[in-house]
Amino acid sequence: MPATIYRRSTLLVMVLFLLTAYPLTAEQADAENCNLCHGLALFGITTPADGFRSFEVTSEAYRHSTHRNVICRDCHTDVNVFPHPEEVAKVECYKSCHITKPFALTGYSHLEQSEAHAISAHGSNPEYSAKKNAAKPDCKYCHSNKFRNVINNESLQENSKHCVRCHEGEGLAGVILHVSSHSGHRTAEASINVVELCSSCHADQGHMKQFDVNLTQVEGYERHFHGKALKRGLDEVANCMDCHRNHLNLPADDPNSSIHPNNIQQTCSANSYCHSDVSGKFAASAIHSEPTSQNNPILFYVEWGFIILTATTMALLFAHIFLDFGRWLGDIWLRRKEK
Amino acid sequence: MSQDYTRFTLSQRLQHIFMFVPFIILVLTGFPIKFPESEFWSVVMSAAGGIDNARVIHRFAAAVMILDFAFHILYIGYNLIKRRPSLADMHLVPNVRDGRNIIENMKYFLFISDERPRFHKFSYIEKFDYWAVFWGMFIMAGSGIILWFPVLFSKFLPGIVIQIAYIAHSDEAMLALLAIIIWHFYNVHFNPRIWPANKVWYKGTLSEEEMEHEHPLELEEIKAREEASK
């Protein structure tokens, strides 16, 4: 929508606050000096329709982001003139940039991930309306653009704890391993953040109702050991992506899905710290939906059995205790009355 | 002349200690995971050194408790074989008198009668306590061991058994904790006739007055036996 905003240029107010002389540090990725303007605090435009829209890229966030070594125009490909064109293309993650893959000479791109996403449950479905497709997460929904968002220190610390679990004290060898095996990594985010991210849609039943999916996935996960232990800080338990994969999220009835009955056994033991040598029976038990009298009657009635047993036992024990205590109080009262 | 009467032998008192110390540790390291969002259990979890430590401590305490229970089963077996007691001598076995005592006690509670039931060595209240733990041990240890080695057990048991074990372990833990802090603590601590505590768990003996009050039928039998052996 940036184009329409620009056309209402009579209503446009350019906000340019030179609050302070901005410390410009020599950054490799800012070889083209974009931060000369975009590094200014509160740099942006205000329109009556949309309010303030920030174009600010804070140096702090920029230096710490994943894309700190990528030149701005590697992604913002059509920003070639100054002043910039009114209409600029959206950044597409599958375009290759000037970074080269380690041990390869090809330009780096997220094409592979983008293609997996396109055919996954999160990709757009031609049978769906545009609105329904727009309700699905695109690259940037999950990979929040950290150029624009000032990194939250707390989550940064949480995430680095996650890295240190394996890389503590590994020195240069660790760094080499880190670079060369980056694509084989579980996730750069702490597991708790992954669950939070997926839950931002999947726990919202109002949002998920429009899709043909299980509405109690998140509740089921949180009832399960993985969910509970994760909340208590056990990072190696499975998060959503460990079983459902990161880009190729497919429904269980798709034979290529990581949670298809034929593949789930493999999925449970995919990581070295997960369950090794699992049987088909074990894999079949790893469901996290809420048990109902229809989908899992045995579990449903076992659970109710315990609730009824506990409630009845406690009711009887409490009744006994109160009667016993009542008799004791009554005796005191009677003795006083006699005096 | 007032004298003390042995209620629990040293072995029985030790069995109780080796049951309740692990019990407390298991509650403190288990409930924070049952209630992952509770602030109260967060404090307990940090005191236990975080979830990684708590999981190790939980398993260690569980092993102690299971060994204690296994010892108890052997202890019962040994005594059954050695002493060959009659049914009437097996004081923990529920019997018709318990039913009668419940009715008498209800009448007493409701001021219908002023006579407290005359209990033998173990009242129905104490028998309930004992058998609740006995049942609880099978549920908790059984489900706990399955959850300890889920992959191993799923090699010969259907997958749903792991899910049942998960529910059973969590829910039976709640039942056991409530039974202990409400029922057991009332009967041995908070009952105003007992308050602040029944010391028999470490002393092992009851005075003649206590016997007269809590276990008159047993006292009567002991005295009759003494009389006969004179």
Side-chain angles (χ1 to χ4, degrees):
Chain A
M1 241 74 31
T4 51
I5 295 165
Y6 254 92
R7 260 176 228 120
R8 282 188 245 118
S9 52
T10 45
L11 300 166
L12 241 163
V13 182
M14 204 64 177
V15 182
L16 236 167
F17 287 118
L18 283 159
L19 293 175
T20 168
Y22 201 80
L24 289 172
T25 43
E27 236 125 58
Q28 196 222 328
D30 195 29
E32 297 180 319
N33 260 337
C34 303
N35 261 4
L36 191 66
C37 295
H38 289 277
L40 296 170
L42 295 175
F43 183 69
I45 54 170
T46 300
T47 65
D50 299 282
F52 182 66
R53 184 156 176 254
S54 173
F55 293 149
E56 180 196 347
V57 181
T58 61
S59 174
E60 186 60 17
Y62 185 43
R63 259 205 306 268
H64 285 116
S65 80
T66 314
H67 294 133
R68 62 190 172 276
N69 292 326
V70 182
I71 297 168
C72 302
R73 284 198 297 134
D74 271 5
C75 301
H76 300 277
T77 44
D78 54 353
V79 182
N80 294 321
V81 290
F82 186 83
H84 304 325
E86 289 186 5
E87 211 169 318
V88 286
K90 273 178 80 176
V91 168
E92 300 290 359
C93 301
Y94 55 78
K95 284 185 180 158
S96 57
C97 58
H98 291 136
I99 300 282
T100 49
K101 282 185 189 172
F103 314 115
L105 294 171
T106 51
Y108 191 84
S109 86
H110 300 297
L111 183 63
E112 207 183 301
Q113 288 78 6
S114 179
E115 281 173 349
H117 172 267
I119 57 166
S120 80
H122 290 148
S124 59
N125 184 333
E127 287 167 24
Y128 287 0
S129 67
K131 189 172 163 257
K132 203 167 160 184
N133 274 326
K136 293 179 167 198
D138 58 3
C139 308
K140 279 176 281 183
Y141 184 81
C142 300
H143 302 275
S144 61
N145 189 345
K146 287 177 180 171
F147 281 134
R148 295 258 296 275
N149 305 338
V150 177
I151 291 171
N152 172 341
N153 244 338
E154 223 168 86
S155 75
L156 192 71
Q157 263 170 7
E158 193 57 43
N159 288 345
S160 60
K161 251 199 308 198
H162 180 80
C163 307
V164 165
R165 187 182 289 282
C166 300
H167 293 293
E168 195 171 30
E170 284 182 11
L172 184 64
V175 174
I176 292 167
L177 186 74
H178 175 79
V179 173
S180 62
S181 70
H182 192 76
S183 56
H185 263 229
R186 187 183 182 202
T187 156
E189 299 280 337
S191 291
I192 194 102
N193 297 351
V194 171
V195 175
E196 199 184 313
L197 175 67
C198 299
S199 303
S200 67
C201 292
H202 284 275
D204 181 351
Q205 299 207 352
H207 179 86
M208 294 311 293
K209 252 193 323 223
Q210 56 185 315
F211 303 105
D212 179 28
V213 292
N214 179 349
L215 294 176
T216 55
Q217 280 159 325
V218 178
E219 277 168 59
Y221 176 77
E222 288 181 342
R223 284 162 47 94
H224 191 67
F225 176 74
H226 291 154
K228 289 187 171 187
L230 182 60
K231 280 190 189 163
R232 282 282 176 224
L234 193 68
D235 201 69
E236 66 253 39
V237 293
N239 64 43
C240 312
M241 291 190 338
D242 284 315
C243 306
H244 297 278
R245 307 189 60 169
N246 42 17
H247 296 111
L248 196 63
N249 313 97
L250 294 167
D253 53 12
D254 187 313
N256 290 321
S257 169
S258 58
I259 52 162
H260 184 270
N262 292 344
N263 306 331
I264 195 152
Q265 200 172 334
Q266 169 71 27
T267 300
C268 294
S269 49
N271 292 316
S272 58
Y273 44 77
C274 292
H275 309 279
S276 54
D277 192 24
V278 303
S279 64
K281 288 175 187 163
F282 177 83
S285 78
I287 316 164
H288 57 73
S289 58
E290 295 266 302
T292 64
S293 55
Q294 265 84 50
N295 75 14
N296 205 334
I298 300 176
L299 221 51
F300 180 80
Y301 290 114
V302 165
E303 194 152 40
W304 272 101
F306 269 106
I307 292 171
I308 291 164
L309 175 70
T310 308
T312 325
T313 312
M314 286 304 128
L316 290 173
L317 298 188
F318 262 115
H320 194 280
I321 287 169
F322 281 124
L323 287 173
D324 183 69
F325 194 73
R327 174 75 210 206
W328 178 78
L329 277 179
D331 278 344
I332 291 177
W333 184 70
L334 284 175
R335 253 179 275 136
R336 280 205 186 153
K337 225 171 81 171
E338 275 166 27
K339 281 178 194 168
Chain B
M1 195 191 79
S2 136
Q3 74 176 99
D4 283 350
Y5 293 86
T6 302
R7 179 158 171 78
F8 296 126
T9 63
L10 179 65
S11 165
Q12 290 164 345
R13 279 176 279 154
L14 284 173
Q15 287 176 45
H16 175 238
I17 291 168
F18 276 101
M19 179 67 50
F20 83 72
V21 173
F23 181 90
I24 294 167
I25 295 171
L26 288 164
V27 167
L28 294 179
T29 50
F31 274 78
I33 300 174
K34 180 171 170 67
F35 300 114
E37 281 169 68
S38 142
E39 286 292 320
F40 169 75
W41 290 111
S42 289
V43 176
V44 177
M45 177 104 292
S46 335
I51 190 168
D52 292 292
N53 277 339
R55 294 178 81 205
V56 176
I57 299 169
H58 194 83
R59 283 158 171 77
F60 180 76
V64 173
M65 193 191 235
I66 292 168
L67 286 175
D68 184 60
F69 187 66
F71 176 82
H72 181 67
I73 299 289
L74 293 174
Y75 173 87
I76 295 172
Y78 173 77
N79 279 302
L80 282 177
I81 293 163
K82 194 183 148 205
R83 301 190 183 176
R84 304 202 168 273
S86 70
L87 202 59
D89 283 338
M90 292 193 273
H91 299 302
L92 275 165
V93 177
N95 53 27
V96 186
R97 194 176 52 232
D98 295 323
R100 229 170 32 230
N101 286 164
I102 291 173
I103 296 165
E104 287 165 2
N105 219 8
M106 289 303 132
K107 284 182 177 166
Y108 171 72
F109 287 164
L110 298 167
F111 294 91
I112 295 165
S113 147
D114 277 338
E115 284 292 304
R116 283 191 78 200
R118 289 167 59 76
F119 293 123
H120 201 275
K121 180 154 187 171
F122 296 111
S123 69
Y124 68 88
I125 295 167
E126 291 150 344
K127 285 182 189 179
F128 178 86
D129 243 351
Y130 176 83
W131 290 109
V133 175
F134 204 90
W135 137 277
M137 272 309 298
F138 283 107
I139 303 284
M140 292 310 289
S143 59
I145 291 170
I146 290 173
L147 295 173
W148 192 342
F149 306 105
V151 174
L152 176 73
F153 279 94
S154 65
K155 289 205 196 305
F156 48 89
L157 291 173
I160 195 163
V161 172
I162 298 164
Q163 288 172 282
I164 291 173
Y166 182 72
I167 290 175
H169 201 73
S170 176
D171 289 4
E172 176 65 24
M174 193 68 203
L175 179 54
L177 179 64
L178 289 173
I180 293 294
I181 61 174
I182 292 167
W183 183 244
H184 189 57
F185 279 16
Y186 179 77
N187 291 317
V188 301
H189 295 288
F190 302 130
N191 187 324
R193 303 177 190 89
I194 306 284
W195 179 261
N198 187 336
K199 298 182 182 67
V200 73
W201 70 270
Y202 64 87
K203 275 166 64 185
T205 57
L206 289 178
S207 68
E208 182 141 4
E209 293 74 50
E210 286 172 314
M211 285 295 282
E212 187 56 58
H213 194 254
E214 302 296 330
H215 308 285
L217 205 58
E218 186 194 5
L219 184 66
E220 198 175 276
E221 238 181 63
I222 294 169
K223 289 200 163 165
R225 226 180 297 136
E226 279 174 356
E227 226 25 65
S229 64
K230 261 180 194 169

